[in-house]
Structures are given as structure tokens and as C-alpha cells.
């Protein structure tokens, strides 16, 4: 088996399509990892052999396998400037996730994704909010990002909705724009208590809804700006929230969300940025992704004591979503 792994990887590296084809026909496993922990797909992507990439994908090579340094075939194509191979892998990733999502929704058990988190304690410190698992719910390094999100969703003034209070960074920034009304949904009892202790319940234009967004939906209105940033939920939960946007977002309103999707892998992040933009487009929204450099926000010791580095990329893509009335452009 080891021998076969080396042979198929070498053919992929050389871009030898006919040898790869004969190996596949002979029943070689296309998901072999060679001695360096790389798959044939990674080798082909790294060298920009697009047709070999295509052949391997058709034969079932996993697009999302990771090397020992946590790079996928798409990362290799991207880092080496092989646009065609990159596009092919990106398209494959998006299609695969679309299908997986459809399957997951069919099998959905209707349970709550973050029940454990919501029932458990949290701890606050100056620079972070942590769960009992030493995972960070929210961290102060995100402050400039939260300020940028607030600016985006408050640009039209009016009525604003924020889902997930956390450390209150985005809400503090929203207050600077003096919105007519500022509704905040928060589901964790301790975060909610802290909001009240810090005077959020007494602010004139603030309305706090304690509960999961899923449960307080009937109490919501429609808004000029909406921001979504929960914790412990899945992509599918946010996707479900998006299905309510047509009711929640006023015409001309702006929607944004914390874009931490697969924030620990550059290629998977691109796949998810594309996936979410596509799914929002199907609902009638355009998504602009505004690049914000974040390397300077992440000092060496930021992750000290935190179990999962949920963000490891140099650029943050801030989503600005708006409804597009296609009938105007006909
Ligand atoms: C990442 S923090 C939000 C950080 C916030 N944007 C800030 O600027 O500090 C996520 C928050 O969402 C809350 N949350 C988690 N699931 C929720 C849900 N289903 N509905 C409402 N709030 C939820 C968490 O308790 C937590 O306070």
C-alpha cells in the first residue's frame, strides 16, 4: 500500500494524466497519503496539473483532506498561484458542502446546537469571555472588527438588531450611532445578567430580548440594520436565520454577520465565503466581502489559555449584504 501511495503521488506530481488514469482503472485508492502526509490531489494542485486534479476528484479523491501542516489541496493551489486548479477545487468544495447541507437538513433532529453551552457557566475577564471548556466565546481582539460591523449596519440609521451580546463590543459601537431603536437578543443567563448589571436595560433606545433567537423570532419587527454573531451554533443555524431575513430586514437595509467561517484554514474559509454568498444570493441578497487586515490585532499571547484558535488568517472579510430588487434591472 505504501508503494502504491508513492507511485500515484509521483504521477500526480508529474502531471502524468495517462498513468493516473490507469492507476485509477487498476483500483488504486486515490485517497492515499504518502510518506510526507500528502495526497495525490495535493501534489497535483501544488503543481497546477488541473486535468489530473479533475481526474482525481472524479475518482472520489477527498477535496478536504489535510496535510500534517493542516493544508488542503486548495491551499496548495492557492499558495502556488494555480488559478484553474484552485477554481476547480473551490467549485468542488462549494458543491460538496451544498449537498452535505441538504442531507444534514433532511436528517435534522431539531435539537438545539448549543444547549450545553447555554446551560453551563461562562467566565468573564477583561480580554475575553470563556466557556467551561476553555474555548473563547468572544475576545477583545475582535473590537476593531465589531466597530466595522456596527458602522456597516448603522449606515442607514433607523432600527437596529443585534443577535448575541457577548462582551457587548458591537453593541457599544452601535450605540455611538444613536439608532432610533437598538434590539439585542441574548440567550445565556449569565451574559444577560451582566448586561443588566452594566446598565444595558436602562438605555433609552435599547430593548433586550432574553432567549435564543430561534425562540424570540415572533417578538421581532423589521430593521434597517441586522448583525448576527452567536456562539456554539453551526453554519446550518446561521443559514436558518438567513431564511428569516426577508421578514426581518427592511428594503434597503443592511445585514452582516461575524464571518469566522472556517477561520483556521484559508481555503475552507474561501469555500464558506462562497457558499454563504451563494445561499444569500438565492434569497435575493448581494454580499460584498470587505477585506480588513487583522494580523496586527493578534498579538503573540492573544491565544494564551484558549483551547481553540478559531481565527488564524491575516485578512477578515466583512460581509455587507443587501437586498437586490432584480425587477429594476430588467
Ligand atoms: C461571539 S458572542 C457575540 C459577541 C458580540 N458580537 C460582541 O461584540 O461582543 C456570541 C453571543 O451569542 C450568544 N448566543 C449563543 N447562542 C445564541 C442564540 N441561539 N440566540 C441568542 N444568543 C445566542 C452567546 O451567549 C454569546 O453571548
Amino acid at each position: 500500500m505504501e508503494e502504491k501511495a508513492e507511485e500515484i503521488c509521483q504521477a500526480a506530481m508529474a502531471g502524468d494524466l495517462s498513468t493516473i488514469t490507469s492507476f485509477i482503472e487498476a483500483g488504486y485508492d486515490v485517497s492515499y497519503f504518502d510518506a510526507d502526509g500528502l495526497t495525490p490531489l495535493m501534489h497535483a494542485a501544488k503543481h497546477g496539473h488541473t486535468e489530473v486534479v479533475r481526474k482525481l476528484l472524479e475518482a472520489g479523491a477527498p477535496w478536504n483532506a489535510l496535510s500534517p501542516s493542516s493544508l488542503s489541496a486548495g491551499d496548495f493551489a492557492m499558495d502556488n498561484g494555480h488559478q484553474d486548479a484552485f477554481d476547480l477545487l473551490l467549485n468542488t468544495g462549494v458543491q460538496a458542502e451544498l449537498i452535505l447541507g441538504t442531507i444534514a437538513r433532511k436528517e435534522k433532529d431539531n435539537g438545539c446546537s448549543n444547549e450545553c453551552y447555554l446551560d453551563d457557566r461562562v467566565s468573564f475577564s477583561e480580554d475575553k469571555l470563556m466557556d467551561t471548556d476553555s474555548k473563547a466565546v468572544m475576545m477583545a481582539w475582535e473590537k476593531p472588527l465589531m466597530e466595522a460591523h456596527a458602522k456597516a449596519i448603522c449606515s442607514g440609521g433607523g432600527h437596529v438588531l443585534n443577535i448575541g451580546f457577548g462582551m457587548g463590543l458591537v453593541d457599544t459601537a452601535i450605540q455611538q450611532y444613536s439608532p432610533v431603536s437598538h434590539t439585542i437578543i441574548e440567550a445565556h443567563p449569565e451574559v444577560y445578567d451582566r448586561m443588566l448589571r452594566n446598565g444595558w436595560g436602562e438605555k433609552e433606545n435599547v430593548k433586550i430580548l432574553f432567549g435564543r433567537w430561534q425562540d424570540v423570532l415572533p417578538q421581532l419587527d423589521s430593521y434597517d440594520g441586522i448583525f448576527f454573531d452567536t456562539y456554539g451554533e453551526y453554519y446550518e443555524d446561521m443559514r436558518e436565520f438567513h431564511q428569516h431575513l426577508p421578514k426581518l430586514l427592511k428594503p434597503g437595509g443592511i445585514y452582516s454577520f461575524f464571518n469566522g467561517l472556517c477561520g483556521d484554514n484559508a481555503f475552507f474559509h474561501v469555500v464558506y465565503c462562497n457558499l454563504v454568498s451563494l445561499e444569500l444570493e438565492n434569497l435575493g441578497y448581494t454580499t460584498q466581502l470587505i477585506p480588513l487586515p487583522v494580523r496586527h490585532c493578534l498579538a503573540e499571547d492573544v491565544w494564551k489559555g484558549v483551547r481553540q484558535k478559531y481565527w488564524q488568517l491575516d485578512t477578515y472579510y466583512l460581509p455587507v449584504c443587501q437586498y437586490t430588487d432584480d425587477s429594476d434591472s430588467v
Side-chain angles (χ1 to χ4, degrees), residues 3-173:
E3 230 168 66
K4 286 183 175 177
E6 298 303 325
E7 277 177 37
I8 195 164
C9 283
Q10 267 162 24
M13 205 183 307
D16 185 347
L17 186 60
S18 62
T19 303
I20 290 283
T21 308
S22 62
F23 283 164
I24 290 169
E25 282 165 5
Y28 277 37
D29 183 354
V30 289
S31 52
Y32 281 131
F33 286 87
D34 68 10
D36 295 325
L38 304 188
T39 62
L41 191 67
M42 292 175 193
H43 283 293
K46 188 175 177 180
H47 291 90
H49 301 312
T50 310
E51 289 316 309
V52 174
V53 168
R54 192 186 314 280
K55 190 82 205 170
L56 288 165
L57 288 170
E58 282 168 6
W63 69 276
N64 53 358
L66 288 175
S67 74
S69 46
S70 295
L71 296 175
S72 67
D75 291 294
F76 284 110
M78 193 158 76
D79 295 347
N80 291 284
H82 299 307
Q83 189 67 43
D84 289 349
F86 171 80
D87 289 343
L88 183 55
L89 286 157
L90 175 59
N91 194 32
T92 304
V94 172
Q95 294 305 322
E97 294 307 284
L98 274 173
I99 294 165
L100 271 183
T102 311
I103 296 169
R105 285 190 288 284
K106 283 206 175 121
E107 290 173 351
K108 196 173 178 216
D109 61 4
N110 286 320
C112 155
S113 306
N114 58 6
E115 209 170 321
C116 294
Y117 158 71
L118 292 176
D119 285 345
D120 224 331
R121 305 295 308 262
V122 289
S123 57
F124 292 91
S125 62
E126 207 177 301
D127 63 347
K128 48 188 166 310
L129 164 60
M130 304 273 277
D131 70 7
T132 46
D133 222 10
S134 297
K135 288 195 193 139
V137 177
M138 183 62 185
M139 297 178 80
W141 71 263
E142 287 185 40
K143 188 166 177 248
L145 303 183
M146 292 299 134
E147 288 169 350
H149 278 293
K151 187 174 180 189
I153 63 159
C154 294
S155 62
H159 302 270
V160 173
L161 169 68
N162 173 44
I163 295 126
F165 181 79
M167 294 172 72
L169 301 179
V170 82
D171 290 296
T172 302

